[in-house]
Amino acid sequence: PYSQSTRGELLYLTAVDILAVMADFQAAQLAAIAGGGLDDAHLAALVNNNSRAHAESADLADRLGGAVAAAPSPSSASGTPAWLPPGFSVEPETRPPLDVEAACRGFLDVAAAATRALAARTLAGDAALGGLFAKAACSADWRAGRVTPAVAATLVDYHGDYAALVEPAFAKRLAEALARGAAAHYAAATLALIPTKAGGAGPDVSPGGAGTQAPPPPPSATTTASAISTTALMTGGWWTPADAERLRADAADLAAAMAPHCRSPEAATRAVRPLADVADLAGADGVDAAVLAYTAALASTPSLAPAMVDRLLAARADWTRAEAKAAAAAVRDAHAARVGVGGRGGTPALSPTRG
């Protein structure tokens, strides 16, 4: 009856159902994104649809919330109407609050997830980009500064194509996701492929000093050591301070190229932080500096395990074997302390910290 439909308790229950439908719809979309298999057009549609859904749901929530607040409710003395669910309180102040803002914000979360997936699909699916990442820190082209401009130009081209397909606000987020993903690929390739000698292995800094620890594979299947021609490897020594500066310049150049398309220059700089952190670690001037650089790198890349930087430490041409081994041991201690596991020599465990 109309007299019941305008009562506060029924409007409240209607709002609960609406928020539940919204949450289920958002969860289904997130599951589809996480499952992979969506092409560029579908991901772009998810970005746009959820951006619009956020605006429309926020308007609906405002109107519904106002109606619930203004609607009359029965007094507790009159009892609970028979049509209400068992246990429902007729006193508005005793009902669970409706988190309308979170429900509406969920659509933005879906749009953001689709944006990240679109960037990841782009980076993983472009064989030419994979070939460029495969030259990171291990080729004459990279040392001459010819790799990063090609990476940046490719990302800008992709962004230009996608910017015509997605909402303007998310086009900027897409630029940041592309920069962030490229920096992560670049950093992973650097750690995995850096030659500790020209085409060979350097001093072993793994625990116990027996055997050279195999580097982890970069995130892209195309970014592998097999993709590198042995004739293209750097010559003239191991990793030098000049190479660390080259890597810093790579991060800065990537940020500068993407900054006009991001929400701000600062956002572009934050996006390439994983690569800049690896550059700082590569250029550390001693054990203490290496530990500080590694600890800072964990903030942007929590998955950066000590084994992933062993090869980089072994590559330093300006360090003795003893210095490289000391830095590797100190990095392992820093990692153990951060994740709450005691390091060597009874190093106190710290509370787990989120990166």
Side-chain angles (χ1 to χ4, degrees):
Y2 179 77
S3 62
Q4 293 178 357
S5 67
T6 57
R7 295 164 67 109
E9 57 270 18
L10 188 56
L11 288 173
Y12 174 88
L13 292 173
T14 301
V16 169
D17 286 342
I18 290 175
L19 297 187
V21 170
M22 290 165 58
D24 290 344
F25 181 48
Q26 292 161 8
Q29 293 181 98
L30 288 172
I33 294 170
L38 297 179
D39 60 21
D40 293 353
H42 282 91
L43 290 171
L46 283 174
V47 172
N48 295 335
N49 291 344
N50 281 275
S51 178
R52 287 191 291 269
H54 171 260
E56 293 171 0
S57 65
D59 179 64
L60 172 63
D62 287 342
R63 289 188 283 113
L64 186 58
V68 171
S73 294
S75 66
S76 57
S78 63
T80 301
W83 48 268
L84 286 175
F88 184 84
S89 174
V90 297
E91 299 293 342
E93 61 273 12
T94 63
R95 298 172 193 161
L98 296 175
D99 196 349
V100 178
E101 290 186 7
C104 296
R105 192 167 55 247
F107 287 113
L108 294 182
D109 294 338
V110 176
T115 299
R116 293 191 296 270
L118 183 56
R121 174 181 167 84
T122 299
L123 293 168
D126 189 312
L129 270 178
L132 290 171
F133 292 135
K135 295 181 177 181
C138 63
S139 70
D141 281 346
W142 172 79
R143 183 170 267 177
R146 291 190 289 266
V147 172
T148 302
V151 171
T154 303
L155 296 181
V156 170
D157 285 346
Y158 270 119
H159 181 264
D161 293 339
Y162 292 141
L165 301 177
V166 300
E167 296 282 346
F170 279 92
K172 294 180 180 296
R173 293 176 182 269
L174 177 60
E176 294 163 22
L178 286 169
R180 187 178 304 109
H185 278 252
Y186 213 133
T190 297
L191 293 171
L193 304 177
I194 181 174
T196 50
K197 286 183 179 179
D204 175 18
V205 298
S206 59
T212 300
Q213 203 162 2
S220 172
T222 56
T223 310
T224 61
S226 61
I228 304 172
S229 168
T230 54
T231 60
L233 289 173
M234 295 187 301
T235 58
W238 301 349
W239 187 262
T240 69
D243 294 323
E245 290 303 317
R246 172 71 267 161
L247 202 58
R248 287 193 183 96
D250 290 336
D253 291 345
L254 189 58
M258 298 303 291
H261 312 289
C262 297
R263 285 173 289 182
S264 68
E266 293 76 16
T269 299
R270 287 194 300 271
V272 303
R273 192 69 241 174
L275 181 58
D277 286 339
V278 169
D280 290 342
L281 182 59
D285 58 6
V287 173
D288 291 343
V291 171
L292 288 174
Y294 176 72
T295 302
L298 285 176
S300 63
T301 313
S303 60
L304 187 61
M308 299 177 70
V309 301
D310 278 354
R311 187 179 180 90
L312 179 61
L313 298 174
R316 295 291 296 269
D318 54 338
W319 281 8
T320 65
R321 176 177 176 177
E323 288 173 323
K325 289 176 70 70
V331 161
R332 288 193 293 275
D333 278 350
H335 181 268
R338 184 175 178 85
V339 300
V341 179
R344 294 181 304 110
T347 302
L350 303 180
S351 298
T353 303
R354 294 187 63 182

